[in-house]
Amino acid sequence: MKIRVERDGLADAVAWVARSLPSRPPVPVLGGVLLDAGAEGGSDALTVSGFDYEVSATVGVPATIADGGRTLVSGRLLADITKALPAQPVEIAVDGARASITCGNARFSLPTMPVEDYPQLPAQPELAGEVTGEAFAQAVSQVAVAAGKDDTLPMLTGMRLEITGSTLTLVATDRFRLAMREFSWQPAEGLGDAAVLAPARTLADAAKSLGAGGGTVRVGLASGDGLLGLAGSGRYTTTRLLDAEFPPYRQLLPSDHTSRAVLQVSALAEAIKRVSLVAERGTQVRLEFADGSLRLSAGGDDEGSAEEELPVDYQGEPVTIAFNPGYLVDGLGALHADRAELTFTTPNRPALIKPADDNGDVVPGYLYLLMPVRLPG
Amino acid sequence: MRLVIARCQVNYAGRLTAHLPMATRLLLVKSDGSVSVHSDDRAYKPLNWMSPPCWLIEDGNLWIVENKAGEKLVITIDNVVDEIEHDLGAEPGLVKDGVEAHLQELLAEHITTLGDGYSLVRREYPTAIGPVDILARDSEGIAVAVEIKRRGEIDGVEQLTRYLELLNRDPLLAPVQGVFAAQQIKPQARTLAEDRGIRCVTLDYDALRGIEPDEFRLF
C-alpha cells in the first residue's frame, strides 16, 4: 500500500474513528484502525474504519492511491500522530510488517497488526429514513440527558426510537425523569412501524459528530441483526441494539394539571445554580409558587441556606414543590428555548416541563417529565 | 483482656519517638501481651501501642513494654482510676462476606433477576475445586453457572472461568454458560468476562431485599 492524502481530512477521519475504539481492547486488533486504500473497485478514497463488536465507525477520505491495499495500525497512536502532523500532504506506505507515515520532514514508522485477524465490519443496515443532521443531533441530545448511567438496569441506559409513519419519537428515562422528543422525518418507502432501543451514550456521540457536518443523516435499521446504522457527511456508524424491554412510559405522562407557570429559562437556571450551592450534594431546591412570584430556596437551619425570588406567570393555588437541582437544570437546558412551561398538580406527583414561545404558548414536540423530591418534614 | 483506666504519661522510644503528656486514658493489655493506649474519642486506632510479641514489665507505677527489636513503650502511672480483667475466649474472626452470602441467598430466591424463564438448580453446586455459588438453567434449559461478588474484580472472573472449565467437562451439564453477578463490576473485570463469553450482571442489593428506596420515582 502506498498513498498520499491531505493532512486535515486524515486527522479528522482518524480522530473520529479512534473515539469509538475501546479503551481496553480485549484483543489488540480491536484497538486498531483499518486503513483500506482503493477498496471499492479502485476508487480514489482511503477508508478508515474501527470496530469493537459493539460500535463500528467508517469514514472515507479522498486520497491519491499509487498502490492499493489494507493495513491495521494502533488507533490511538495514529490519532495522536495525525493530529500532531504539520499541514502538508501525508504519505502512507506499508512495507512488510511496518507502516511508514511521512509528512514534511517528519517520519513515523509503526508496527502493523495482521489484517486477517480483524473482524468483518458489519454491513450498513437497510435505510429506515432520513432527517437533517442538525435536527437529529439536537433531538438526540435533548433526550439523552434523561438516560440512566447506571448499569443495574440496562434498559434505562438506552434510548428508544419509535418509528410511526413520518414521525420519529425518541424517549429515555432513568426513573427520576423522562425526556421525549417527537419530530417528523422522511421515512424510507415501504417501512413499517418499528421501535428499537439503542445505547443512549453511543447514539448521542454519533448523532453529534454526524450532525456537525451539516447535510442529512440516514438512519438504518436491521432489527433482525440487532443493529442501528447512522450515516451522514461521508461517515458511517453502526451500533448494537439493546436487547431489553423499555418500560411502558406513555402511562406515566400526566393528562391534566392544576398549576401552570411560565418562566424565563436562563434566569431560572442561573438562580437554581446559585441557590443550590448550599444544597448538600445537590439534594434539593424548593420552588414556592405564589401569584406572580416564585421563591427558590435551598439549604436549612443546620447548614447554609439561600433564597432568590423571580417573577413568574403563574396560575393555580400557591404550591411548594422541591426538585433535584441537577435534574431540573438538565431539563431546562435540554429545552433549547428561551421560555419554559412548568405544569404540575401536587408536590409528590411528576411535573412536566415543555418549551414555550414568547407568548407563553407551548411549542409542541418536546417534554421533560421530572419527579419531585420529598419535602423536609 | 485487662482494662486499666489511669492517669498516665507515655513515652515511646523506637524507630521514632513520641510523647503523650499526663492525662487520663484507657490502657488495654491483651492476652497476647500487646498493650495499647486509647483516649476518649473516635472508634479509631490507639494513640500509642506495641504489637506482639512484646513483654510488659510492671515496676510499681512504671510500666515498660518492650519488644525484641528493643523498642520501648514507657508508661508512667500517676493513679489508677479503675481496673477490670475478663477472659474473652477465642475470637471467631470477622465475617466480611456477609453481604455476599446474603446476595447469593437473595439471587437464588429471585433467580429470574438473571432473565425470564431462569430456574434454580441449586446453591453451592459442588465441583472438584470448590462450590459454584449458583447453578441455574435458562429458559431453554441450558446450564448457567453464576459467581456472585460484592465487588466484581478480575480474580472473580478467573474463579468463574476455572469453574466453567470444569463444569463443561461434565457431559450431562455442558454447555455451561457463565454469569458474573456483582453489586459493582470493575471495567477491567467486565472486559475480561465479556471477552470470555461470560455475561455481567449488576445486582441491586436493596431491590433484591425488597427495600424500596424512600425517594419518589416515576415508576
Side-chain angles (χ1 to χ4, degrees):
Chain A
M1 184 171 116
K2 193 168 172 13
I3 58 165
R4 175 187 279 253
V5 57
E6 286 304 316
R7 182 258 175 206
D8 288 354
L10 178 70
D12 284 352
V14 175
W16 181 66
V17 170
R19 273 186 57 196
S20 62
L21 294 177
S23 51
R24 294 184 191 84
V27 189
V29 289
L30 297 184
V33 293
L34 187 68
L35 300 175
D36 191 340
E40 286 143 34
S43 68
D44 287 340
L46 168 72
T47 321
V48 184
S49 318
F51 182 42
D52 68 349
Y53 292 108
E54 291 291 323
V55 179
S56 83
T58 300
V59 55
V61 189
T64 314
I65 296 168
D67 190 8
R70 278 150 50 100
T71 189
L72 186 65
V73 292
S74 159
R76 267 173 220 288
L77 194 52
L78 188 64
D80 287 346
I81 290 173
T82 51
K83 195 170 79 182
L85 288 178
Q88 287 181 41
V90 184
E91 273 183 23
I92 302 174
V94 178
D95 184 17
R98 292 188 86 82
S100 73
I101 300 166
T102 313
C103 179
N105 295 325
R107 301 174 80 93
F108 292 88
S109 173
L110 304 182
T112 63
M113 293 183 273
V115 176
E116 310 80 64
D117 295 352
Y118 201 68
Q120 174 79 38
L121 288 160
Q124 274 293 311
E126 199 181 333
L127 181 70
E130 287 184 344
V131 58
T132 62
E134 212 177 323
F136 187 66
Q138 195 199 57
V140 170
S141 73
Q142 281 181 300
V143 174
V145 73
K149 284 153 194 86
D150 180 4
D151 282 327
T152 315
L153 295 165
M155 64 190 180
L156 301 183
T157 62
M159 186 185 298
R160 183 176 162 94
L161 287 85
E162 278 179 18
I163 298 163
T164 321
S166 63
T167 305
L168 181 61
T169 308
L170 307 178
V171 196
T173 178
D174 65 0
R175 289 180 154 201
F176 301 103
R177 56 227 172 117
L178 177 145
M180 177 169 123
R181 177 72 204 269
E182 279 180 332
F183 57 104
S184 60
W185 72 329
Q186 193 64 49
E189 275 189 39
L191 177 83
D193 293 354
V196 295
L197 192 63
R201 230 181 92 197
T202 315
L203 193 60
D205 284 348
K208 194 171 148 195
S209 65
L210 295 182
T216 59
V217 169
R218 295 186 301 284
V219 181
L221 213 53
S223 307
D225 300 337
L227 273 187
L228 175 81
L230 294 176
S233 333
R235 295 175 172 186
Y236 304 86
T237 169
T238 62
T239 176
R240 187 162 288 284
L241 295 173
L242 292 176
D243 184 18
E245 198 69 31
F246 198 70
Y249 67 94
R250 295 221 181 238
Q251 67 196 41
L252 300 173
L253 304 177
S255 50
D256 53 1
H257 62 264
T258 53
S259 301
R260 177 180 188 269
V262 177
L263 297 139
Q264 289 290 342
V265 169
S266 57
L268 178 60
E270 278 168 29
I272 293 166
K273 283 180 196 160
R274 268 194 294 276
V275 169
S276 62
L277 290 173
V278 295
E280 212 172 316
R281 283 177 290 112
T283 40
Q284 60 170 248
V285 56
R286 293 175 291 278
L287 279 66
E288 285 172 52
F289 286 99
D291 200 19
S293 90
L294 163 63
R295 190 165 153 273
L296 298 164
S297 64
D301 299 336
D302 304 340
E303 50 203 334
S305 65
E307 56 178 71
E308 185 162 344
E309 272 198 11
L310 292 174
V312 61
D313 181 2
Y314 181 68
Q315 293 138 25
E317 295 292 310
V319 171
T320 302
I321 187 167
F323 295 104
N324 175 316
Y327 293 172
L328 187 52
V329 169
D330 280 351
L332 293 170
L335 295 177
H336 292 286
D338 293 338
R339 286 160 74 89
E341 184 209 57
L342 180 69
T343 54
F344 51 90
T345 50
T346 62
N348 53 12
R349 303 286 310 144
L352 203 50
I353 305 172
K354 291 177 175 178
D357 62 16
D358 291 342
N359 299 325
D361 297 326
V362 167
V363 180
Y366 183 71
L367 64 84
Y368 186 84
L369 186 67
L370 178 59
M371 200 66 204
V373 294
R374 205 179 286 275
L375 284 162
Chain B
M1 171 78 87
R2 180 174 160 208
L3 287 86
V4 179
I5 296 178
R7 208 174 127 73
C8 62
Q9 171 184 308
V10 183
N11 281 300
Y12 174 80
R15 277 164 298 178
L16 43 85
T17 52
H19 170 71
L20 293 172
M22 188 64 78
T24 307
R25 299 192 177 89
L26 169 65
L27 306 171
L28 296 182
V29 183
K30 295 185 181 175
S31 55
D32 61 359
S34 66
V35 176
S36 39
V37 182
H38 286 266
S39 64
D40 188 14
D41 72 344
R42 292 171 293 175
Y44 197 57
K45 64 181 183 187
L47 295 168
N48 223 324
W49 69 95
M50 185 73 80
S51 301
C54 60
W55 303 270
L56 170 63
I57 301 154
E58 288 179 56
D59 181 10
N61 62 353
L62 195 66
W63 289 18
I64 298 172
V65 193
E66 190 171 353
N67 69 5
K68 60 179 186 231
E71 293 168 318
K72 273 185 192 171
L73 193 64
V74 180
I75 305 171
T76 315
I77 297 189
D78 184 39
N79 71 307
V80 173
V81 182
D82 204 356
E83 177 167 351
I84 55 167
E85 193 160 354
H86 197 86
D87 185 4
L88 302 187
E91 168 59 41
L94 180 64
V95 182
K96 276 188 185 163
D97 57 359
V99 174
E100 220 162 275
H102 197 202
L103 273 173
Q104 187 198 93
E105 203 174 300
L106 288 166
L107 189 61
E109 277 171 32
H110 306 282
I111 195 74
T112 47
T113 309
L114 300 177
D116 289 334
Y118 270 64
S119 58
L120 179 70
V121 175
R122 66 165 287 180
R123 284 168 54 190
E124 302 283 347
Y125 186 89
T127 77
I129 52 166
V132 181
D133 286 336
I134 286 181
L135 191 75
R137 292 211 181 256
D138 71 6
S139 53
E140 279 148 31
I142 295 173
V144 180
V146 187
E147 178 63 32
I148 298 167
K149 290 281 176 218
R150 234 152 49 83
R151 292 160 62 84
E153 299 189 14
I154 292 258
D155 53 354
V157 181
E158 295 290 0
Q159 194 183 350
L160 179 56
T161 309
R162 290 195 295 271
Y163 289 140
L164 285 172
E165 199 194 323
L166 264 122
L167 291 169
N168 270 315
R169 290 183 197 163
D170 184 343
L172 297 175
L173 282 177
V176 183
Q177 301 279 332
V179 169
F180 189 52
Q183 275 183 288
Q184 190 188 41
I185 298 178
K186 290 273 163 108
Q188 295 95 322
R190 182 180 290 273
T191 306
L192 181 67
E194 283 169 358
D195 183 52
R196 291 182 176 171
I198 294 168
R199 184 156 71 94
C200 290
V201 175
T202 322
L203 298 174
D204 187 337
Y205 187 40
D206 287 343
L208 281 171
R209 278 196 292 179
I211 297 173
E212 281 293 318
D214 185 33
E215 58 210 350
F216 294 141
R217 287 198 312 220
L218 287 167
F219 56 92

